[in-house]
Amino acid sequence: MTYQLNETHDAALSSWVKSANEAGSDFPIQNLPFAVFRRAGSSEAFRGGVAIGDQIVDLAALGDALAGADPAAREAAALGSRDSLNALMAAGPQAWSALRLSLSRLLRSDAPARPDLMVAQADAEFTVPASIGDYTDFYTSIHHATAVGKLFRPDNPLLPNYKWVPIGYHGRSSTIGVSGQAFHRPRGQTCGATETEPVFGPAKRMDFELEVGIFVGGGNAAGEPIAVGDAEAHVFGLCLLNDWSARDLQAWEYQPLGPFLSKNFATTISPWIVTTEALAPYRTAWQRDAADPQPLPYLDYPALRGSGAFDIELEVLLQTETMRREGQAPASLATSNFRHSYWTVAQLVAHHTVTGCALRPGDLLGSGTQSGPEAAEAGSLLELSAGGKQPLSLPNGEQRVFLEDGDRVVLRGRAARPGLPRIGFGEASGTLLAAR
Amino acid sequence: MTYQLNETHDAALSSWVKSANEAGSDFPIQNLPFAVFRRAGSSEAFRGGVAIGDQIVDLAALGDALAGADPAAREAAALGSRDSLNALMAAGPQAWSALRLSLSRLLRSDAPARPDLMVAQADAEFTVPASIGDYTDFYTSIHHATAVGKLFRPDNPLLPNYKWVPIGYHGRSSTIGVSGQAFHRPRGQTCGATETEPVFGPAKRMDFELEVGIFVGGGNAAGEPIAVGDAEAHVFGLCLLNDWSARDLQAWEYQPLGPFLSKNFATTISPWIVTTEALAPYRTAWQRDAADPQPLPYLDYPALRGSGAFDIELEVLLQTETMRREGQAPASLATSNFRHSYWTVAQLVAHHTVTGCALRPGDLLGSGTQSGPEAAEAGSLLELSAGGKQPLSLPNGEQRVFLEDGDRVVLRGRAARPGLPRIGFGEASGTLLAAR
């Protein structure tokens, strides 16, 4: 399912929430992403909300505001007012679409203003928007896989399976946090390349990974794979995801069963999930080199080559403790784009389930580090610092090879097209604290 | 925490449930394992139960039966009557122990018989006993790691990290099923060693893995590691676990991030969880070769060398479709023992959390395939058939290298000591169906 453009995508729409109409806003009326929130510091129940400008539509406060709307929209709003979005995610594309249309109409400039339905984003705190049953992380950037492979195997960077298999592994769901997450530098075993015995202590090579998160909507029963052509109907939307990594722990532990402790301590996502329907105007062709193999039939589908990919600009920024103290904004380290992904979202879903594996509503898939083809488009410090050998200079003169205590990493994402409003993902920020 | 022996372990105890006193029973009054069940085919709510002989004590039916008991036991019984054991697991060792003591007293020969509290196991159906937030699989048998390593790297079977790091990886929780699970042979990509392009189709090298499952009781907050000396207080109990594996999918996909589709389609556990308190008399010394390194301090603790290990006999049996049709019982393929594990349960918990990773009540850890030192003690067909090269002969003349459609694999486990009753795990059985 690739969404058709409809009235909610109309570039001419504006909202009675004035801040939504400002050019720099991530949240114009064409976006309408979902989060779970409450008033900061309150003991209110968390509930679903939809971003509009600098405000949140409180789905639990809609009451009769959708009285004249499609009953499917009212039902979806009720599901969305719970303390996680799982029930709304399970309801499927028609429910999501009906709710989006009703909210779009409610918020348009020609509709009566309803400030009573709103909570200012500045007054809100967020939580992980779904109860995440399983979290899977993929490895879809061939540029990242090649760059990391070069560090370990200069002559043979890309393994033979890469161009055939959407490589992925299971991640840890218990430590997924929402933007604002702070965590302590993990301790663990590391072993230098020339050493024979490991040492135990705080990780020294702390890194981020610039990723896109994919929230599963309706799941599938065990034993019933999701066909690649149906896969997008099972996707609720996308978010930003930082797959924090302790590279020195990873190097020592990862053979033969993959990363474990090196990534189990924290994963940070944006509070906002941008729906695939909102992203419909920003689809783009999925591209491969002519020499690359065609996908096997279970990973091929009609829309793949025309609009299989998402054109989403991604950015990672760093704010050191010194910068924060001196009031300096986060500095950009790299930009990339989700369109570079070697595998599409639909292919990830189809591959994941082809064995009969069950996905459940609220399951999260990570795209893997989204490095682009250029060196400046690398989505991790491991790549940006050439394996820790070339320090990066920050605008204030500080240098980094890996993260230092107090560093705050900010991910941003946005989709833009000439003649269309820009829609954004807000941010996923997280802070590395000193080891305990 | 290693449980002290107490009156519930007394070998002289017997029960008014006569079947519990028979020599062959897995469930004498000294065992009292937990499951979640209901009457088969009914629409009753699932609830916790405790095995005694061929019966189940219905925790939701206790009513005033514990009226005179420790209030902690009554509270634990109430938590245990929900449709998953997570709340009881979260309650901690004192609650578990209080409930065990009360049930032991309720069921003893000198107590009044209360058949009204019972459901016959033959009349029950079971479900996964906890909502499993995250499932982690370890690799704790050095014999398995060496045997599998030899197939890939004859000169260097054991990787340098093995004797230092409790190797593990995240598994898939959505497809964990309870004994009786049946699943279709998965499809996926495979690539022969001499081929350059993969093919897609049903997996050909289907295997089981004979493992012990470890259910986490009380969890830990993110950022707060569980010290190895405290780790067992966070363990509710053990079960049997079959980590079904598609070896041909695994060989092609597993580099560089570990197993994914090759194990995401099904994992089968026993319905019964034997508590660590019940296993207290069956502890044994944790042993390593003199030449092996000592564990790093974060993996070392006073009780390790005296009673760190569990002496649990494990067995895997196979019943083919032909055997089933002809009324032949499952045939034993191998026996092993959990005491061979290179790492203890406490070490797994401490290692898992040392980075600050949060465990939650109901999380499941797999021990990894429990192969013993002898060839006949191998816990997988990959080992028993020497990588698929040496067929196994079954008693009825059939042969196997890997599993065939219709094969039912049964895991069993029991702990025994001279002068003590044998306590058992029931079984974890699962059936491989033809690919769809």
Side-chain angles (χ1 to χ4, degrees):
Chain A
M1 165 159 202
T2 307
Y3 284 93
Q4 299 301 306
L5 298 192
N6 57 44
E7 63 172 83
T8 66
H9 299 102
D10 186 346
L13 294 180
S14 61
S15 173
W16 50 260
V17 179
K18 300 300 180 198
S19 57
N21 308 325
E22 292 168 13
S25 175
D26 270 358
F27 307 120
I29 193 169
Q30 292 83 0
N31 191 350
L32 304 177
F34 288 81
V36 172
F37 80 102
R38 66 179 176 188
R39 283 183 181 78
S42 76
S43 57
E44 293 175 354
F46 279 103
R47 67 274 190 185
V50 170
I52 180 76
D54 60 8
Q55 302 292 307
I56 303 169
V57 184
D58 184 345
L59 292 179
L62 285 178
D64 63 355
L66 295 186
D70 182 351
R74 295 206 305 273
E75 196 172 321
L79 297 176
S81 16
R82 300 189 188 173
D83 64 358
S84 85
L85 297 178
N86 296 66
L88 176 61
M89 289 166 163
Q94 289 179 316
W96 311 333
S97 200
L99 179 55
R100 172 180 167 85
L101 177 61
S102 296
L103 291 174
S104 173
R105 290 176 177 169
L106 181 74
L107 294 167
R108 286 177 201 170
S109 297
D110 58 4
R114 290 291 305 269
D116 56 307
L117 307 179
M118 300 288 157
V119 173
Q121 287 174 35
D123 296 338
E125 63 184 358
F126 297 91
T127 188
V128 176
S131 173
I132 298 168
D134 280 292
Y135 158 50
T136 305
D137 200 22
F138 284 92
Y139 196 55
T140 71
S141 164
I142 195 169
H143 309 294
H144 173 69
T146 304
V148 171
K150 266 183 190 154
L151 297 173
F152 293 98
R153 301 171 300 273
D155 300 330
N156 180 29
L158 206 62
L159 292 166
N161 57 9
Y162 190 85
K163 292 185 175 182
W164 297 96
V165 182
I167 297 290
Y169 66 104
H170 307 294
R172 182 79 195 174
S173 71
S174 70
T175 48
I176 297 173
V178 79
S179 188
Q181 186 175 26
F183 60 94
H184 294 275
R185 180 182 292 269
R187 295 177 195 273
Q189 293 187 35
T190 58
C191 190
T194 59
E195 304 297 323
T196 55
E197 295 197 0
V199 295
F200 180 81
K204 293 194 174 72
R205 292 162 69 96
M206 290 296 297
D207 203 353
F208 56 79
E209 292 195 338
L210 170 61
E211 302 198 13
V212 173
I214 300 149
F215 270 103
V216 173
N220 62 306
E224 297 180 7
I226 298 173
V228 67
D230 301 331
E232 282 202 21
H234 293 263
V235 174
F236 179 72
L238 309 184
C239 67
L240 302 168
L241 186 151
N242 185 345
D243 176 30
W244 303 94
S245 300
R247 300 296 181 195
D248 42 355
L249 272 58
Q250 187 176 355
W252 173 235
E253 75 167 1
Y254 92 105
Q255 286 287 13
L257 298 180
F260 176 37
L261 263 57
S262 52
K263 291 165 178 275
N264 77 352
F265 49 88
T267 303
T268 305
I269 60 174
S270 59
W272 296 110
I273 307 172
V274 178
T275 64
T276 43
E277 185 171 10
L279 290 163
Y282 310 93
R283 304 300 294 252
T284 189
W286 170 82
Q287 293 182 316
R288 285 196 176 183
D289 287 350
D292 286 347
Q294 293 303 305
L296 291 175
Y298 81 98
L299 297 174
D300 207 347
Y301 57 108
L304 172 64
R305 289 168 190 81
S307 59
F310 291 90
D311 187 356
I312 300 172
E313 300 166 20
L314 301 169
E315 184 176 18
V316 54
L317 307 95
L318 176 66
Q319 187 185 46
T320 68
E321 203 160 19
T322 302
M323 291 165 72
R324 210 155 46 244
R325 198 169 50 237
E326 297 178 354
Q328 292 160 355
S332 183
L333 295 184
T335 57
S336 185
N337 194 301
F338 191 33
R339 72 169 185 270
H340 299 309
S341 177
Y342 195 81
W343 301 102
T344 67
V345 168
Q347 287 173 324
L348 301 185
V349 168
H351 182 68
H352 204 312
T353 63
V354 73
T355 53
C357 180
L359 296 180
R360 295 177 290 194
D363 281 354
L364 180 64
L365 315 181
S367 64
T369 310
Q370 290 302 299
S371 300
E374 306 300 327
E377 294 171 330
S380 69
L381 281 174
L382 184 69
E383 293 159 85
L384 291 167
S385 72
K389 293 195 208 78
Q390 295 169 11
L392 276 76
S393 290
L394 302 175
N396 70 349
E398 287 185 279
Q399 291 197 321
R400 284 292 180 275
V401 281
F402 289 102
L403 296 173
E404 297 190 7
D405 294 344
D407 282 357
R408 186 169 79 98
V409 175
V410 180
L411 308 188
R412 292 186 185 145
R414 64 195 77 85
R417 277 290 162 84
L420 289 182
R422 152 190 152 164
I423 68 173
F425 284 73
E427 63 180 44
S429 85
T431 303
L432 174 64
L433 307 175
R436 274 190 162 161
Chain B
M1 163 158 201
T2 306
Y3 284 93
Q4 300 301 307
L5 298 192
N6 58 43
E7 65 173 79
T8 66
H9 299 103
D10 186 345
L13 294 180
S14 62
S15 174
W16 50 259
V17 179
K18 300 298 180 201
S19 56
N21 309 326
E22 293 169 11
S25 175
D26 271 356
F27 308 120
I29 193 169
Q30 292 83 0
N31 191 350
L32 304 177
F34 288 81
V36 172
F37 80 103
R38 66 178 176 189
R39 283 184 182 78
S42 77
S43 56
E44 294 175 353
F46 280 103
R47 66 274 189 185
V50 171
I52 179 77
D54 61 7
Q55 301 292 307
I56 304 170
V57 183
D58 184 345
L59 292 180
L62 284 179
D64 62 355
L66 296 186
D70 182 351
R74 295 205 305 274
E75 196 172 321
L79 297 176
S81 25
R82 301 188 187 172
D83 64 359
S84 84
L85 296 178
N86 295 67
L88 176 61
M89 289 166 163
Q94 288 179 316
W96 312 332
S97 200
L99 179 55
R100 173 180 167 85
L101 178 60
S102 295
L103 291 174
S104 173
R105 290 176 177 168
L106 182 72
L107 294 166
R108 286 178 200 168
S109 297
D110 58 5
R114 290 292 304 269
D116 57 308
L117 308 179
M118 300 286 157
V119 173
Q121 287 173 35
D123 296 339
E125 62 185 357
F126 297 91
T127 189
V128 176
S131 173
I132 299 168
D134 280 291
Y135 158 48
T136 304
D137 199 23
F138 284 91
Y139 196 55
T140 70
S141 164
I142 194 169
H143 310 293
H144 173 69
T146 304
V148 171
K150 266 184 191 156
L151 297 173
F152 293 99
R153 300 172 301 275
D155 300 331
N156 180 28
L158 205 63
L159 293 166
N161 57 10
Y162 189 85
K163 292 186 175 182
W164 298 96
V165 182
I167 296 291
Y169 66 104
H170 306 295
R172 181 79 195 173
S173 70
S174 71
T175 48
I176 297 173
V178 79
S179 188
Q181 185 175 27
F183 60 94
H184 294 275
R185 180 183 291 268
R187 295 178 194 273
Q189 293 187 34
T190 58
C191 190
T194 58
E195 305 296 323
T196 55
E197 295 196 0
V199 295
F200 180 81
K204 293 194 174 74
R205 292 162 68 95
M206 289 297 296
D207 204 352
F208 56 78
E209 292 195 338
L210 171 60
E211 303 196 12
V212 173
I214 300 148
F215 270 103
V216 173
N220 61 307
E224 296 180 7
I226 297 173
V228 68
D230 301 332
E232 282 202 19
H234 293 263
V235 174
F236 179 72
L238 309 184
C239 67
L240 302 168
L241 187 152
N242 185 344
D243 176 30
W244 303 94
S245 301
R247 300 295 181 195
D248 42 354
L249 272 58
Q250 187 175 355
W252 173 234
E253 74 167 2
Y254 91 105
Q255 287 286 11
L257 299 180
F260 176 36
L261 263 57
S262 52
K263 291 165 179 274
N264 77 352
F265 48 87
T267 303
T268 305
I269 60 174
S270 60
W272 296 110
I273 307 172
V274 178
T275 64
T276 42
E277 185 171 9
L279 290 163
Y282 310 93
R283 304 301 294 252
T284 189
W286 171 84
Q287 295 182 315
R288 286 196 174 183
D289 287 349
D292 286 347
Q294 292 303 304
L296 291 175
Y298 81 99
L299 297 175
D300 208 347
Y301 58 108
L304 172 63
R305 288 168 189 79
S307 59
F310 291 90
D311 187 357
I312 299 171
E313 299 165 20
L314 302 169
E315 183 176 19
V316 55
L317 307 96
L318 176 66
Q319 187 187 45
T320 68
E321 204 160 17
T322 302
M323 291 165 72
R324 209 154 49 244
R325 199 170 48 235
E326 298 179 354
Q328 292 159 357
S332 183
L333 296 184
T335 57
S336 186
N337 194 302
F338 191 33
R339 73 168 183 269
H340 298 310
S341 177
Y342 196 81
W343 301 103
T344 67
V345 169
Q347 288 172 324
L348 301 185
V349 169
H351 182 69
H352 203 313
T353 63
V354 73
T355 53
C357 180
L359 296 180
R360 293 177 292 193
D363 281 353
L364 180 63
L365 315 182
S367 64
T369 310
Q370 289 303 299
S371 301
E374 305 301 325
E377 294 171 330
S380 70
L381 281 174
L382 184 68
E383 293 158 86
L384 290 168
S385 73
K389 293 195 209 80
Q390 296 170 9
L392 276 75
S393 290
L394 302 175
N396 70 347
E398 288 187 279
Q399 291 198 321
R400 285 293 181 273
V401 282
F402 289 102
L403 296 173
E404 298 191 5
D405 295 345
D407 282 356
R408 186 168 80 97
V409 175
V410 181
L411 308 188
R412 293 187 185 144
R414 65 195 76 85
R417 278 288 161 84
L420 290 182
R422 153 190 151 163
I423 67 173
F425 284 74
E427 63 179 43
S429 85
T431 304
L432 175 64
L433 307 175
R436 274 189 160 163

